[in-house]
Amino acid sequence: MAQDVPDADFFRILEQKLHRPEVRRSPDTVHALLADDFTEFGSSGRVYDKASIIEALVEESIAEAALAPDVHDFTARPIASDVVLVTYRSSRHLPGGAAARVTLRSSIWKLIDGRWQMLFHQGTIVPST
């Protein structure tokens, strides 16, 4: 029997867990949220796998981790009974009142062994005008 795909709010909560400093700095929590074959195309242009993103997040400065982005235009679209594409725009206000950095983000969440895990993520910085 096909499982019902949770609504967008469910995926927004999962996605925003990865924005929280206490989650980002917890290798065990991030490990549970990411699929074993996770890949990220970072806004920096770097490509991360699960191990390298966990390491990068643990090494992130406390100040940097605390800059949780605002999330706008969030959507979650099922692309299979066990796969969901999430897209949104994030803006992060930089210290000192500098203009916000806007990033287009997409993630693929997959139901693996009864729990939703992020399989893929990409961030693309929107050039300032």
Side-chain angles (χ1 to χ4, degrees):
M1 178 176 201
Q3 180 168 339
D4 290 332
V5 174
D7 65 8
D9 289 337
F10 174 86
F11 290 101
R12 186 179 183 122
I13 289 167
L14 280 178
E15 194 81 29
Q16 288 187 288
K17 277 185 181 182
L18 289 163
H19 297 169
R20 297 191 344 231
E22 67 274 15
V23 170
R24 296 171 75 81
R25 301 189 67 76
S26 169
D28 291 340
T29 305
V30 175
H31 186 273
L33 287 167
L34 303 182
D36 287 342
D37 54 349
F38 170 81
T39 302
E40 176 174 337
F41 296 161
S43 58
S44 64
R46 287 191 58 199
V47 178
Y48 299 91
D49 63 9
K50 184 173 183 172
S52 63
I53 199 68
I54 289 171
E55 181 180 331
L57 292 176
V58 167
E59 292 176 359
E60 192 174 50
S61 73
I62 293 171
E64 193 175 13
L67 292 173
D70 295 323
V71 172
H72 313 277
D73 305 326
F74 190 92
T75 64
R77 296 180 183 95
I79 54 178
S81 63
D82 61 347
V83 181
V84 171
L85 171 65
V86 164
T87 59
Y88 60 100
R89 215 170 23 93
S90 69
S91 59
R92 183 172 281 171
H93 297 282
L94 304 174
R101 183 175 89 179
V102 177
T103 306
L104 298 175
R105 300 196 176 273
S106 60
S107 301
I108 296 174
W109 289 86
K110 181 169 177 52
L111 187 62
I112 301 169
D113 296 330
R115 64 189 166 126
W116 289 94
Q117 293 184 299
M118 186 183 284
L119 184 64
F120 174 81
H121 182 76
Q122 179 169 357
T124 304
I125 295 173
V126 176
S128 57
T129 55

